[in-house]
Every structure is written in C-alpha cells, then in structure tokens.
Amino acid sequence: MRSIPRTRKKSPASGRAIATGLVVCALLATLTALLLPVQLFGESASAATNTVGYDDDGGGTVNTRYGPLTAMDRDFVKKVRLAGLWEMPAGRQAQARGRTAAVRTAGDHLVAGHTELDRRSREAAQQLGIALPNQPTAEQQGWLDQLGAASDENFGPLFAELLRRSHGKVFGLVALVRDQTRNSVVRALADRANAVVLDHITVLEHTGQVDFGTLHST
C-alpha cells in the first residue's frame, strides 16, 4: 500500500519571518512614496530660487537708521527705477496705439503704477543714499525700439509679450527682497511693488494676447 506523503507544517518562526518581511517591504514602499515628492519639490524649489538674481555692487552690507542695507536691497531700489524708465513710455504707447480697450487699459495701469513706484524709489534712494539710473538699459531701450517700430496690428501682441515677460521676472525678485530684507524702507517699497506688479501682470493677461507657450522661453 502506497503511503500518503505528509504535508510539512511551517514553523511559527518561519511564519513570523515572512510576516515581518512583508511589513518591512510595506514600510519601505511607503517611505519611498513620501520622500520622492519631497525630493522632487526640493529640486524644483532650488531651481526656482536660482532663477532669481540681483546685481552685486560690491558694497557689502551697510548700517542705516532704517536697518541693514544689503547689495540686494540697493539693486532692488535701482531696478524699480529702471522698470519705470521703460515701462512708463511703453504704457504711454499702449494708451495711444492700443487697438483694443484691454490694451489701452493695461497702458493706463502701467503709467499709473510706475509713476507711483518711480516716486517711491526716488524717495527711498534719497533716504538710503543710493545713486539711481536716469536712462533705461540698452536691453530696455531695445524693447522700446521694437514697440516703436511695430505696426499697429502687431503692437498689441508684442506689447503684451514684452511687458508680461518682464513683470514675471521682476516678480520673483520682489518676493525675494520682501522675504529677506531687514531694511524698513526697502520692505515698504517691496510691499507696494508686489501689489503693483501683480496688478500689471493681471491686466496684461486680460488683453488676451499673452502667449503662455513662449512666455518663459527666453
């Protein structure tokens, strides 16, 4: 008579080892799922921070009655002034040449906003002893020349593209300065600049002529 093979029973220790292994694997999978987004977010945040820069004048940090004044603070005040030197003329062109009410409205906001910020930047510079530029940069003058040479048909899209891209770049610097400055005059200027720049971004987008596909291509 043929004997029936006996089923070998698993020892309790073996069962516990398998269960422990499954728990460990589950924990590792969960940990990986949690850490991966954090790692990716950290890389993205670092990349975003690296896109925001300022020009270091080599003057270091100096003490003022309004708090420490850094190279970044000084560059920010200068950049607010520079923005007005080309964006106010661009806004006036939009007021005169805009074919749609939205483009003309954007021009109104640019002129009003940068008139105020220009005044505030000059007041801040006087308080802090910062020398300000009186002419736009060569690049900014080039943008004005492009707008001046554009046909009436092409003016609106070019205006929206140039101004929206410029405001998007400076928005990062405004946020960085507002976060890091310890100077009360610079902080107040950054507070107001933040509101004005956001308003300008909004009205430029409302023209319906911002090409988001190419907005950050340069």
Side-chain angles (χ1 to χ4, degrees):
M1 187 174 176
R2 213 166 165 186
S3 61
I4 300 174
R6 296 181 179 179
T7 303
R8 192 174 178 180
K9 294 182 178 181
K10 294 181 180 179
S11 67
S14 176
R16 284 196 299 272
I18 293 173
T20 301
L22 291 174
V23 171
V24 170
C25 289
L27 288 173
L28 287 174
T30 301
L31 184 61
T32 300
L34 290 172
L35 289 179
L36 185 59
V38 173
Q39 183 181 13
L40 291 176
F41 176 80
E43 291 175 357
S44 298
S46 176
T49 302
N50 289 338
T51 63
V52 180
Y54 63 92
D55 296 324
D56 189 344
D57 60 9
T61 300
V62 298
N63 292 321
T64 75
R65 60 184 294 189
Y66 308 101
L69 183 70
T70 66
M72 181 176 69
D73 294 333
R74 291 189 294 273
D75 185 58
F76 171 67
V77 176
K78 294 175 185 176
K79 279 189 165 61
V80 173
R81 168 72 169 167
L82 279 170
L85 289 175
W86 87 274
E87 292 179 20
M88 278 192 286
R92 286 192 287 268
Q93 286 196 51
Q95 289 174 321
R97 300 183 59 194
R99 284 191 163 187
T100 67
V103 170
R104 293 191 295 273
T105 296
D108 292 340
H109 281 240
L110 259 70
V111 171
H114 282 290
T115 296
E116 178 191 349
L117 288 182
D118 186 72
R119 174 182 57 79
R120 287 176 177 266
S121 68
R122 287 185 284 108
E123 290 173 351
Q126 186 175 20
Q127 291 174 294
L128 300 172
I130 301 173
L132 292 180
N134 290 314
Q135 298 292 332
T137 66
E139 182 179 40
Q140 291 170 336
Q141 186 58 55
W143 295 332
L144 284 173
D145 292 342
Q146 288 183 52
L147 289 171
S151 66
D152 289 342
E153 182 180 357
N154 294 330
F155 175 84
L158 181 61
F159 167 79
E161 177 188 349
L162 291 176
L163 274 299
R164 174 58 179 83
R165 180 178 290 122
S166 175
H167 280 80
K169 289 180 179 179
V170 77
F171 203 35
L173 178 60
V174 174
L176 183 65
V177 171
R178 181 59 184 83
D179 176 57
Q180 296 189 10
T181 188
R182 292 181 291 160
N183 188 283
S184 60
V185 172
V186 175
R187 185 180 301 114
L189 180 60
D191 276 338
R192 188 56 190 147
N194 181 71
V196 171
V197 172
L198 182 56
D199 171 70
H200 291 177
I201 287 175
T202 302
V203 294
L204 287 164
E205 291 174 351
H206 283 171
T207 64
Q209 299 189 60
V210 175
D211 185 353
F212 289 92
T214 61
L215 192 58
H216 303 289
S217 60
T218 58

